């Protein structure tokens, strides 16, 4: 029996479908009682993640898969964003975990973020799961604080903790910059990224969910932290070329030096966007693969094809 949060989100929705398909009994936490769930999923309505009494809903559940979070946003409006992130990502997570431990849940799987490790890497020097965390922004700091709190709960209660730190997740229905890039390519707009020779790790939604399901009952996952990616790192230029190929469109990439792009982004106060497009962020998933006898089941090209097909269907 699996208790799932964040079922209306990008990752949670996919996790629900995969868990049901794998034969798990799924009970899902919802804010809105009017949301329609897949067959085989039982719903539990709550108001506030940080103050809700989860004990009645968690009794009899073996595993919690916690996907719900206040996610990283591009245009933060709060005057105190760290406080807002902490309410959900720290206080909410730890409230749920304490109740889970108190009623005998055996394992708590937490979807964290690579932002716990930091914002970028030097080419050829990927993050590992055992690196000293260096979160920078409020989202990454809140996820790191939640991780520490979960480890404290595990140490005092015996409930097993599994932490998964994904890199950028893409899949059917992906939003934000990934969707924007697909739209630009689809329209044939020339893009100034032909000379970007960075290295970035990505993870297809199917690969992330496959790992998540693997950690539900794998003995090697107990009290471990895992990084996850597709196992193949790409430059922004290479990603755009592969994305264009999946869409059946040419990639019109202009060879503008990355230094010029960075200067322009700074002038436009788009430093974080420049980092994501021009900087490197690689992860080493060898620990994940060896401890869990796991490998990403879907290749980058296969995953991009699925994303492109969904995008084209959604335009009709």
């Amino acid at each position: 029996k699996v208790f799932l949060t964040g079922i209306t989100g990008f990752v949670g929705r996919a996790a629900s479908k995969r868990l049901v398909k794998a034969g798990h009994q799924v009970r899902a936490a919802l804010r809105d009682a009017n949301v329609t769930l897949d067959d085989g999923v039982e719903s539990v309505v709550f108001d506030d993640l940080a103050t809700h009494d989860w004990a009645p809903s968690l009794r009899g559940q073996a595993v919690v898969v916690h996907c719900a979070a206040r996610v990283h946003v591009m245009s933060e409006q709060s005057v105190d964003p760290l406080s807002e992130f902490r309410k959900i990502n720290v206080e909410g997570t730890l409230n749920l975990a304490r109740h889970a431990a108190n009623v005998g849940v055996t394992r708590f799987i937490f979807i964290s973020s690579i932002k716990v490790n930091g914002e970028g890497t030097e080419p050829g020097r990927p993050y590992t799961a055992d690196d000293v965390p260096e979160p920078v922004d409020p989202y990454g700091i809140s996820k790191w604080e939640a991780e520490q709190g979960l480890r404290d709960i595990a140490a005092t209660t015996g409930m097993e903790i599994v932490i998964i730190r994904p890199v950028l997740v893409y899949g059917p229905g992906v939003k934000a910059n990934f969707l924007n890039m697909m739209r630009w390519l689809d329209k044939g707009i020339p893009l100034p990224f032909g000379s970007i020779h960075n290295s970035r790790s990505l993870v297809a939604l199917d690969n992330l969910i496959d790992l998540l399901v693997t950690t539900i009952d794998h003995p090697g996952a107990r009290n471990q932290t895992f990084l996850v990616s597709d196992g193949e790192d790409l430059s922004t230029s290479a990603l755009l070329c592969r994305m264009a190929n999946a869409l059946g469109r040419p990639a019109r990439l202009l060879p503008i030096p990355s230094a010029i792009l960075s200067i322009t982004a700074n002038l436009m106060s788009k430093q974080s966007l420049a980092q994501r497009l021009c900087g490197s962020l690689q992860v080493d998933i060898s620990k994940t693969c060896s401890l869990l006898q796991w490998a990403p089941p879907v290749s980058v090209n296969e995953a991009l094809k699925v994303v492109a097909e969904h995008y084209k269907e959604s335009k009709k």
Side-chain angles (χ1 to χ4, degrees):
K1 295 181 178 181
V2 178
F3 189 86
L4 175 66
T5 71
I7 192 171
T8 58
F10 186 54
V11 174
R13 188 181 301 113
S16 171
K17 293 180 181 299
R18 178 66 182 274
L19 289 166
V20 170
K21 186 177 181 180
H24 295 282
Q25 296 180 44
V26 179
R27 180 178 292 171
L30 285 171
R31 282 185 178 275
D32 185 353
N34 296 317
V35 172
T36 301
L37 300 178
D38 293 330
D39 291 342
V41 180
E42 176 189 359
S43 65
V44 171
V45 179
F46 73 99
D47 49 3
D48 188 307
L49 190 66
T51 60
H52 188 75
D53 179 4
W54 293 102
S57 304
L58 289 168
R59 287 194 180 93
Q61 303 298 298
V63 177
V64 169
V65 175
H66 185 39
C67 301
R70 185 178 195 266
V71 298
H72 179 69
V73 291
M74 299 298 293
S75 300
E76 180 60 66
Q77 301 297 318
S78 172
V79 295
D80 186 4
L82 181 55
S83 177
E84 294 300 316
F85 279 112
R86 280 173 170 156
K87 288 177 184 176
I88 303 297
N89 298 350
V90 183
E91 296 167 26
T93 296
L94 300 186
N95 178 50
L96 177 65
R98 290 187 194 101
H99 280 110
N102 288 340
V103 301
V105 169
T106 56
R107 181 168 288 188
F108 190 103
I109 300 171
F110 178 55
I111 304 300
S112 186
S113 169
I114 195 58
K115 282 179 168 286
V116 169
N117 285 72
E119 292 293 322
T121 58
E122 294 296 321
R125 299 181 63 183
Y127 288 133
T128 73
D130 300 318
D131 286 342
V132 176
E134 295 183 358
V136 174
D137 70 358
Y139 174 67
I141 292 168
S142 70
K143 285 289 192 176
W144 169 228
E145 291 177 351
E147 288 187 14
Q148 294 176 88
L150 288 172
R151 291 190 182 94
D152 289 342
I153 291 172
T156 56
T157 67
M159 182 174 70
E160 298 172 359
I161 299 295
V162 180
I163 294 167
I164 299 175
R165 295 181 192 157
V167 289
L168 174 67
V169 184
Y170 67 99
V174 66
K175 305 292 185 184
N177 289 332
F178 206 96
L179 176 59
N180 288 333
M181 289 193 293
M182 293 185 69
R183 286 172 173 162
W184 296 333
L185 291 167
D186 189 39
K187 293 176 180 178
I189 297 173
L191 301 173
F193 304 123
S195 293
I196 306 301
H197 304 299
N198 56 349
S199 292
R200 295 194 74 88
S201 301
L202 309 170
V203 63
L205 182 60
D206 283 347
N207 287 336
L208 173 57
I209 300 304
D210 191 79
L211 176 66
L212 188 158
V213 173
T214 298
T215 63
I216 284 177
D217 54 13
H218 197 295
R222 179 178 180 271
N223 296 332
Q224 294 291 338
T225 298
F226 297 110
L227 306 187
V228 58
S229 76
D230 292 330
E232 180 183 6
D233 300 338
L234 298 174
S235 68
T236 300
S237 303
L239 173 61
L240 289 166
C241 287
R242 295 207 195 182
M243 197 183 293
N245 184 63
L247 288 166
R249 296 281 192 267
R252 297 186 170 92
L253 304 182
L254 306 177
I256 307 299
S258 59
I260 293 178
L261 292 177
S262 295
I263 292 170
T264 303
N266 286 337
L267 292 173
M268 298 173 63
S269 298
K270 298 287 186 181
Q271 294 93 334
S272 60
L273 179 61
Q275 166 61 25
R276 284 188 290 273
L277 292 173
C278 302
S280 293
L281 196 160
Q282 297 173 273
V283 298
D284 180 347
I285 62 169
S286 57
K287 172 186 173 181
T288 306
C289 297
S290 60
L291 271 184
L292 302 176
Q293 301 83 49
W294 180 83
V298 179
S299 71
V300 173
N301 288 345
E302 290 170 334
L304 287 175
K305 183 178 180 181
V306 173
V307 176
E309 289 301 320
H310 182 274
Y311 168 77
K312 289 187 283 188
E313 282 295 318
S314 67
K315 290 199 309 173
K316 294 180 179 179

